[in-house]
């Protein structure tokens, strides 16, 4: 079957001297693995920039029934990045977020609303000027809504956050997976922050590190196949 679709590049690996395998979250087919021939040839029309993490591309593809690996016939950029590939912090953020998505999005899980959220988030990151150190926190929090385990905020006063049940509580829960009050208040602030107000999140580097670690644990508790993110250490070092 031949088709055209939009996609967001999650991961790319060299397959041979002239080809790459890329994992793409597509608007029409969910997450799909594709092979691209001629990717390393000097005269190829397919440039390496197409495979950068979070690249938004338009593709003409061929899907073969029963196969795990499909083919990209043509590919072009939809959104030309202005800063992500060249800004060290934005580039590290893109690597981190693409790894999170690679480890959380499932094959063939079509979700147009999720695709639109990701497309908008990537563009927001590219244009972001203020509060950049908080971008990944807000992204991870917003992504939980599409993955099915968004924190439940009923508007009541709280002290703790229960990571297993995803609720804010006044009393300490009867297990060890919770956030203490001094961190839960920042977790709550992240939950209620949009990309347009990233600079309103004022916290120390230590608190920011703790919040992202809590979010990673929250993902691990709610996604059985999620075991953490390797690129987090590189990202944290840039905010020292």
């Amino acid at each position: 079957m031949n088709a055209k679709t939009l996609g967001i590049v999650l991961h790319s690996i060299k397959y041979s001297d002239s080809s790459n395998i890329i994992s793409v979250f597509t608007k029409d087919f969910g997450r799909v693995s594709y092979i691209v021939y001629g990717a390393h040839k000097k005269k190829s029309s397919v440039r390496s920039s197409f495979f950068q993490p979070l690249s938004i591309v338009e593709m003409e593809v061929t899907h073969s029934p029963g196969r795990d690996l499909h083919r990209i016939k043509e590919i072009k950029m939809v959104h030309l990045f202005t800063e992500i590939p060249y800004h060290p912090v934005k580039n590290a953020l893109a690597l981190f977020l693409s790894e999170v998505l690679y480890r959380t999005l499932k094959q063939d899980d079509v979700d147009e609303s999720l695709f639109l959220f990701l497309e908008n988030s990537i563009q927001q990151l590219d244009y972001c000027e203020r509060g950049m150190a908080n971008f990944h926190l807000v992204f991870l929090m917003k992504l939980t809504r599409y993955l099915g385990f968004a924190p439940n905020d009923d508007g009541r006063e709280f002290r703790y956050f229960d990571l297993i049940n995803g609720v804010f509580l006044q009393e300490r829960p009867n297990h060890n997976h919770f956030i203490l009050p001094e961190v839960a208040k920042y977790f709550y602030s992240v939950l209620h922050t949009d990309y347009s107000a990233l600079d309103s999140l004022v916290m120390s580097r230590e608190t920011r590190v703790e919040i992202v670690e809590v979010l990673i644990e929250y993902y691990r508790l709610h996604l059985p196949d999620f075991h953490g993110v390797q690129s987090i250490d590189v990202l944290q070092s840039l905010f020292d």
Side-chain angles (χ1 to χ4, degrees):
M1 178 185 72
N2 294 327
K4 286 188 176 181
T5 187
L6 296 177
I8 295 168
V9 176
L10 306 181
H11 182 72
S12 174
I13 186 171
K14 187 176 180 180
Y15 181 67
S16 69
D17 290 340
S18 62
S19 63
N20 273 30
I21 293 177
I22 63 173
S23 178
V24 185
F25 183 67
T26 69
K27 186 176 182 179
D28 299 287
F29 308 106
R31 177 179 160 180
V32 185
S33 294
Y34 294 103
I35 188 166
V36 183
Y37 294 103
H40 306 290
K41 293 181 178 179
K42 292 183 178 181
K43 296 183 179 180
S44 174
S45 60
V46 180
R47 299 189 297 273
S48 59
S49 60
F50 294 164
F51 310 128
Q52 292 177 351
L54 302 187
S55 292
I56 305 172
V57 296
E58 181 179 78
M59 306 178 295
E60 184 176 343
V61 300
T62 299
H63 283 199
S64 301
R67 293 190 178 182
D68 295 328
L69 191 60
H70 306 282
R71 182 179 177 183
I72 295 180
K73 298 173 64 177
E74 293 185 10
I75 183 172
K76 64 180 181 180
M77 297 289 287
V78 172
H79 174 81
L80 297 177
F81 289 140
T82 59
E83 292 198 358
I84 287 178
Y86 320 108
H87 192 293
V89 174
K90 290 186 178 184
N91 187 253
L93 283 165
L95 288 170
F96 171 74
L97 299 182
S98 63
E99 185 182 353
V100 169
L101 294 171
Y102 180 70
R103 296 182 185 279
T104 55
L105 302 183
K106 303 301 181 183
Q107 296 280 2
D108 304 321
D109 189 11
V110 180
D111 189 334
E112 185 174 348
S113 62
L114 171 57
F115 182 89
L116 295 175
F117 160 72
L118 295 177
E119 183 180 35
N120 175 66
S121 297
I122 294 165
Q123 293 177 12
Q124 292 283 350
L125 174 60
D126 197 33
Y127 300 140
C128 181
E129 296 181 354
R130 302 167 63 183
M132 198 182 307
N134 298 318
F135 189 94
H136 58 307
L137 306 182
V138 174
F139 176 90
L140 290 175
M141 189 70 81
K142 287 181 177 296
L143 182 60
T144 62
R145 302 173 189 172
Y146 298 90
L147 299 180
F149 54 95
N152 182 20
D153 171 25
D154 59 10
R156 294 182 297 175
E157 292 186 6
F158 67 89
R159 296 181 65 217
Y160 301 89
F161 181 73
D162 182 335
L163 289 164
I164 291 180
N165 296 298
V167 295
F168 290 96
L169 300 171
Q170 186 61 27
E171 302 295 332
R172 179 173 174 166
N174 295 320
H175 54 74
N176 294 324
H177 299 286
F178 64 89
I179 311 176
L180 291 169
E182 55 266 30
V183 178
K185 65 180 181 181
Y186 290 104
F187 190 85
Y188 182 84
S189 296
V190 173
L191 175 62
H192 291 274
T193 300
D194 290 323
Y195 293 135
S196 59
L198 291 172
D199 57 336
S200 69
L201 288 172
V202 180
M203 63 184 83
S204 67
R205 179 192 176 276
E206 290 74 17
T207 299
R208 189 176 293 108
V209 168
E210 191 163 1
I211 293 295
V212 75
E213 289 177 348
V214 163
L215 281 164
I216 294 297
E217 181 183 0
Y218 189 48
Y219 272 63
R220 189 181 294 114
L221 288 169
H222 291 269
L223 298 172
D225 297 329
F226 183 80
H227 304 293
V229 184
Q230 295 179 352
S231 57
I232 185 64
D233 292 336
V234 175
L235 181 63
Q236 300 288 36
S237 69
L238 290 175
F239 295 120
D240 284 346

